[in-house]
Amino acid sequence: GEDVEQSLFLSVREGDSSVINCTYTDSSSTYLYWYKQEPGAGLQLLTYIFSNMDMKQDQRLTVLLNKKDKHLSLRIADTQTGDSAIYFCAADQTGANNLFFGTGTRLTVIP
Amino acid sequence: GAGVSQSPSNKVTEKGKDVELRCDPISGHTALYWYRQRLGQGLEFLIYFQGNSAPDKSGLPSDRFSAERTGESVSTLTIQRTQQEDSAVYLCASRVSGQNQPQHFGDGTRLSIL
């Protein structure tokens, strides 16, 4: 199956930008997703990008996709304390029914 | 409610007992997934249902795990003779049909095996 990797931790100061990175291995992945998980809750879909795009912006969120390097990033502008959570990158794979998830990046926002 | 509903939210049981976890998908969502999330780890796919098709059971870790779904309604995940390594959060997700449709997750059932 697909391997999706993320760094485990990121700390930023309130008001700064956060950049969470993700790499994946299957070049046939068509859709790539970012999910947010707050303590005790399930995963909340933040945004997703189709593989023929290299950027998608949605309010404070910017997703960048480098398909050649199989690298995905999520930028959160003007990071707030409410953004503290675990962020999961996920990729689909041709022929597979499920998504493949990274281990998640725990974002801590320092007031 | 409008979201995916899972019950119970927490379950503590003794090793060797059977447990049954329930998922109510969003109405109209034909696809339903079960995932396992161990502490500090990502999501591990368990099983996938799509309408009345045969389920994709390729992620089930052992024959102690089974799941059922009737049509496009409720699903139950059963773990028999639970072991301590089964302790995890079990997440259910549903989506409408179509490859690009995102999965919507419930809040999960936190299972603790003593």
Side-chain angles (χ1 to χ4, degrees), chain B residues 4-46:
Chain B
V4 177
S5 176
Q6 292 188 245
S7 61
S9 53
N10 287 282
K11 176 72 176 178
V12 180
T13 192
E14 291 179 346
K15 176 181 169 182
K17 300 285 189 185
D18 296 352
V19 295
E20 188 173 278
L21 312 180
R22 177 187 169 104
C23 173
D24 270 289
I26 294 171
S27 178
H29 282 200
T30 56
L32 186 147
Y33 301 78
W34 283 98
Y35 291 90
R36 177 169 70 179
Q37 184 181 23
R38 289 187 163 130
L39 186 64
Q41 297 188 19
L43 274 68
E44 176 188 3
F45 167 72
L46 297 178

Side-chain angles (χ1 to χ4, degrees), chain A residues 74-102:
Chain A
L74 175 69
R75 178 177 181 270
I76 306 173
D78 186 25
T79 313
Q80 303 297 307
T81 54
D83 295 325
S84 292
I86 301 175
Y87 291 81
F88 288 93
C89 169
D92 67 359
Q93 184 183 42
T94 302
N97 293 312
N98 55 296
L99 294 179
F100 294 85
F101 287 81

Side-chain angles (χ1 to χ4, degrees), chain B residues 69-113:
Chain B
R69 187 187 189 198
T70 304
E72 297 178 3
S73 62
V74 169
S75 176
T76 55
L77 176 69
T78 302
I79 309 173
Q80 295 177 306
R81 304 181 302 281
T82 51
Q83 304 294 312
Q84 286 188 330
E85 63 262 28
D86 299 334
S87 295
V89 176
Y90 289 82
L91 290 162
C92 176
S94 70
R95 65 171 175 82
V96 295
S97 61
Q99 185 190 7
N100 62 325
Q101 298 303 316
Q103 297 179 28
H104 298 266
F105 284 81
D107 287 342
T109 294
R110 183 175 299 277
L111 177 64
S112 299
I113 309 300

Side-chain angles (χ1 to χ4, degrees), chain A residues 13-71:
Chain A
R13 294 207 173 272
E14 190 174 16
D16 288 351
S17 292
S18 308
V19 179
I20 302 171
N21 294 301
C22 170
T23 58
Y24 59 99
T25 55
D26 190 340
S27 57
S28 72
S29 291
T30 309
Y31 289 91
L32 297 124
Y33 302 81
W34 284 104
Y35 284 87
K36 176 183 180 183
Q37 185 179 37
E38 297 187 71
L43 275 66
Q44 172 197 355
L45 178 68
L46 290 178
T47 186
Y48 63 96
I49 189 167
F50 184 50
S51 59
N52 70 350
M53 300 169 62
D54 52 20
M55 187 181 87
K56 181 178 179 181
Q57 186 155 3
D58 183 0
Q59 299 183 344
R60 292 192 297 121
L61 305 179
T62 303
V63 178
L64 295 179
L65 174 62
N66 181 327
K67 194 174 177 183
K68 173 177 170 289
D69 293 339
K70 297 191 278 292
H71 181 271

